[in-house]
Amino acid sequence: MAIMPGNSSYPSSPTFQPILESIATDIAQTPGRGRPADYIPALAACDPRRFGMAVAELDGTVYGVGDWRQPFSTQSITKVFTLALDLAREGDELWEHVGREPSGNPFNSLVQLEYENGIPRNPFINAGALVVTDRLQTRTGDAARTLLEFLRAESGNADLGFDQDIAASEAANGDRNAALAHFMASYGNIDNPVPDLLDQYFLQCSIAASCADLALATGFLARHGIRADGGRLLSRSQAKQINAIMLTCGTYDAAGDFAYRVGLPGKSGVGGGIIAVVPGRCTLCVWSPGLDERGNSVAGVAALDRFTTLTGLSVF
C-alpha cells in the first residue's frame, strides 16, 4: 500500500514545487553549511553554498529548485545502484559475502574486518561496496559500465558519464581503499585482481549526475523494484531489503540521527548528494557540497528533514 502524507499544511499533490521553494528559502538563510571533502582534491574546491533539490514522482514527473540540474560527483550514492544490480543477478548468495548491519565506524574503517574474517558489515561502507563491485564485475565483465548504462536508462539522460579527473584524483589518494581490498582478498572475499577492482570502483564513484537524474534513477526503489520502462529489476522483497539497509546504513555512522531527523531510506555521498525514497510515492535527491564531520551534506540533511516535516511523508 502506498504511503500517504500525514497531517500537513500542504496538499498531498498535485505538485511538490511550492514545498521545494519553501525549503530552498529556508536553506539559503541557514548559516554553517559545512566543508567540502578535502581528502579528494578534485572535490575540495566545490562551493558549500551551492544547493539543489529534486523530487520525482512514480510516473517520472520531476520538480526541482536551485541547482537541481547541475551535475555533481555522485560518489557513494552509486553504491545503492551497484547493490541493486548485483542483488538482481545473484540473489541471497550476496549476503554470504557482505553483512546487513550498521558499522558504527567511519565509512573507510579497517577496524572491524579482521575480527569479522574479511566480511564487511554492510554494502555501503567502502569495504562492503568493494565486495559488491567485485561480484558485479565477475558477473558482467564491466561493473562500472553496467552501472552507467543503468543510470542512463533510468534517468533518461544518455549524456551521463564518468569524470576521469575525479577518478584519477581518487586513484591517487586511494591507499585506504587498496588496503581494504587487499585485506579482504587475503580472506578469499575478493575474486578479481585488486588493481582491476579499484579501477572499477573509482570509475563507479566518479559518475557525474544531477539531482533530477538521481531522483529519477532511484525510482525503482519507490516502485517496489519496477524500472522506469515497466520491467522488473528486483522482487518486491529485494527492494524492501535495499530500502531497509539504506535506512540503517546509508549515511555512514550517522544513520541513526538521519533516521531520527528525516525518517526515510537514504544514501549520501561525499560529493554532497543524498538520495531518499518514499516507497510507493516518490524519490528525492538533494545536493550541497558542504559536509559535516561524518561526511553528510549539512544542507542536504536539513532540507530532507524539512521536506518530511512539511509533507508528512515518512516511513514512520
Side-chain angles (χ1 to χ4, degrees), residues 158-175:
D159 294 328
L160 293 184
F162 304 116
D163 186 324
Q164 297 291 345
D165 290 338
I166 293 286
S169 183
E170 293 203 59
N173 295 273
D175 290 342

Side-chain angles (χ1 to χ4, degrees), residues 149-315:
E149 293 303 326
F150 177 80
L151 292 175
R152 285 174 171 174
E154 297 305 293
S155 68
N157 183 358
D159 294 328
L160 293 184
F162 304 116
D163 186 324
Q164 297 291 345
D165 290 338
I166 293 286
S169 183
E170 293 203 59
N173 295 273
D175 290 342
R176 179 64 65 92
N177 286 316
L180 290 167
H182 282 294
F183 193 81
M184 291 186 294
S186 75
Y187 281 93
N189 202 22
I190 295 294
D191 294 333
N192 294 281
V194 168
D196 296 344
L197 169 59
L198 292 172
D199 287 345
Q200 290 287 318
Y201 182 71
F202 295 140
L203 276 175
Q204 165 187 310
C205 292
S206 80
I207 292 173
S210 69
C211 291
D213 295 326
L214 290 170
L216 286 167
T218 309
F220 71 98
L221 289 173
R223 293 188 294 266
H224 308 295
I226 301 296
R227 295 186 59 167
D229 65 3
R232 180 169 288 281
L233 175 68
L234 301 172
S235 70
R236 191 180 184 97
S237 178
Q238 289 172 326
K240 178 196 70 175
Q241 291 167 4
I242 292 179
N243 280 325
I245 298 169
M246 288 172 68
L247 182 68
T248 58
C249 308
T251 46
Y252 310 123
D253 51 334
D257 186 64
F258 185 84
Y260 176 84
R261 291 183 61 185
V262 175
L264 293 174
K267 182 71 194 83
S268 60
V270 295
I274 308 174
I275 56 173
V277 181
V278 185
R281 185 70 169 83
C282 63
T283 48
L284 304 96
C285 181
V286 61
W287 171 63
S288 187
L291 309 180
D292 62 21
E293 65 278 3
R294 290 173 169 173
N296 298 309
S297 171
V298 173
V301 174
L304 291 169
D305 182 359
R306 188 71 174 145
F307 177 85
T308 54
T309 299
L310 290 174
T311 62
L313 289 168
S314 171
V315 297

Side-chain angles (χ1 to χ4, degrees), residues 35-79:
R35 299 175 58 186
D38 55 10
Y39 66 94
I40 301 174
L43 298 180
C46 293
D47 180 359
R49 303 292 301 180
R50 300 289 295 271
F51 175 80
M53 188 172 185
V55 179
E57 295 184 311
L58 301 188
D59 64 358
T61 302
V62 188
Y63 307 93
V65 70
D67 298 311
W68 66 297
R69 293 196 179 278
Q70 173 65 42
F72 62 89
S73 185
T74 54
Q75 295 295 311
S76 289
I77 291 174
T78 59
K79 295 173 182 177

